[in-house]
Amino acid sequence: IAIVTGGTRGIGAAISKALKQEGYRVIANYAGNDEAAHKFKADTGIDVRKWDVSDYAACESNLKAIENEIGPIDTLVNNAGITRDAMFHKMTPEHWYQVINTNLNSLFNMTRPLWDGMRARNFGRIICISSINGQKGQMGQANYSAAKAGDIGFVKALAQEGAAKGITVNAICPGYIGTEMVLAVPKDVLEKRILPHIPVGRLGEPEEIARCVVFLASDQSGFITGATLTANGGQ
């Protein structure tokens, strides 16, 4: 059983579909877009559940309900993320805390309720979707870059605690992927300021990130933990 946060759109949707194809029972969490979630469920047959990953109580109660209803969750993909971009001199506390709560605090909120069960069963796969901008920074994204760098620190520390219990904890840092979020960037910015910095000369596909997740979730990746897999076209 696999949970994918932000699992009905963009990279998350590709991850949910790829895991289902590999034989996982997938539950795709989403936060707000009911229309997109219901369409995703109708198109894929994947179970969708709505709650806010920045709310610990909501994560705990929903995860408990899923485990009682379906069974133990062995694979968690922390993918949910938002942007509230602004130059730092214009960034508001709201811009800052919304991004930190959704993109970083959600890792605790989602992982902590599952951790004891994974330890008891001596198996678990936790995969956190970070970002190239958590590695190199990005102007206008002090909040996002801080959260995504925090994801990497979380993974490195927790991997050391999970190792003796058969739990692997890894991060994936996508570069610029052709999702709604990236394609919303003005065309001239994309063509003049982003694509020239990608050595392979194109945006990544969500399915390329999903294949990384499938590998890290598999039994074959048991010796890989605390690692950061960068999929960014050579950036």
Side-chain angles (χ1 to χ4, degrees):
I1 298 169
I3 301 276
V4 182
T5 66
T8 63
R9 295 165 65 197
I11 290 172
I15 292 167
S16 295
K17 288 190 273 191
L19 287 170
K20 186 190 179 193
Q21 206 168 4
E22 290 294 312
Y24 290 79
R25 172 79 182 267
V26 179
I27 292 95
N29 150 272
Y30 74 102
N33 193 326
D34 292 315
E35 191 184 342
H38 294 148
K39 184 178 186 312
F40 176 79
K41 183 178 183 177
D43 291 348
T44 64
I46 292 170
D47 192 0
V48 300
R49 306 286 176 105
K50 183 179 184 178
W51 75 85
D52 178 2
V53 294
S54 71
D55 178 343
Y56 180 80
C59 292
E60 188 177 40
S61 62
N62 278 280
L63 290 169
K64 194 172 183 181
I66 290 166
E67 292 202 309
N68 288 339
E69 182 188 330
I70 301 168
I73 296 161
D74 286 315
T75 299
L76 168 64
V77 184
N78 286 309
N79 166 74
I82 60 169
T83 53
R84 297 289 184 268
D85 295 353
M87 297 300 278
F88 194 67
H89 64 280
K90 294 181 177 176
M91 190 172 283
T92 65
E94 189 179 35
H95 289 146
W96 178 268
Y97 288 112
Q98 283 180 345
V99 169
I100 297 295
N101 285 336
T102 298
N103 297 16
L104 178 58
N105 291 342
S106 63
L107 271 58
F108 177 85
N109 297 343
M110 287 296 298
T111 308
R112 183 64 188 87
L114 299 180
W115 189 249
D116 292 354
M118 288 180 175
R119 281 171 51 86
R121 294 188 298 275
N122 288 299
F123 183 83
R125 293 286 185 265
I126 295 164
I127 300 153
C128 299
I129 309 299
S130 178
S131 167
I132 186 174
N133 291 342
Q135 296 173 301
K136 71 172 187 59
Q138 178 62 37
M139 63 191 296
Q141 286 197 326
N143 49 3
Y144 185 84
S145 295
K148 293 300 188 178
D151 293 352
I152 296 170
F154 174 84
V155 159
K156 286 180 181 295
L158 197 59
Q160 294 181 37
E161 295 188 28
K165 292 288 185 180
I167 306 167
T168 66
V169 191
N170 292 292
I172 297 170
C173 285
Y176 287 91
I177 308 298
T179 61
E180 278 178 57
M181 198 189 274
V182 170
L183 295 175
V185 171
K187 194 163 183 274
D188 61 321
V189 174
L190 202 60
E191 289 176 357
K192 291 176 187 167
R193 294 182 57 188
I194 294 176
L195 288 175
H197 295 290
I198 305 174
V200 301
R202 65 171 176 86
L203 297 175
E205 297 292 336
E207 292 74 19
E208 292 178 298
I209 305 305
R211 287 195 288 274
C212 297
V213 172
V214 167
F215 170 63
L216 289 175
S218 71
D219 288 341
Q220 290 96 313
S221 67
F223 198 59
I224 300 171
T225 193
T228 305
L229 180 53
T230 57
N232 60 26
Q235 266 193 286

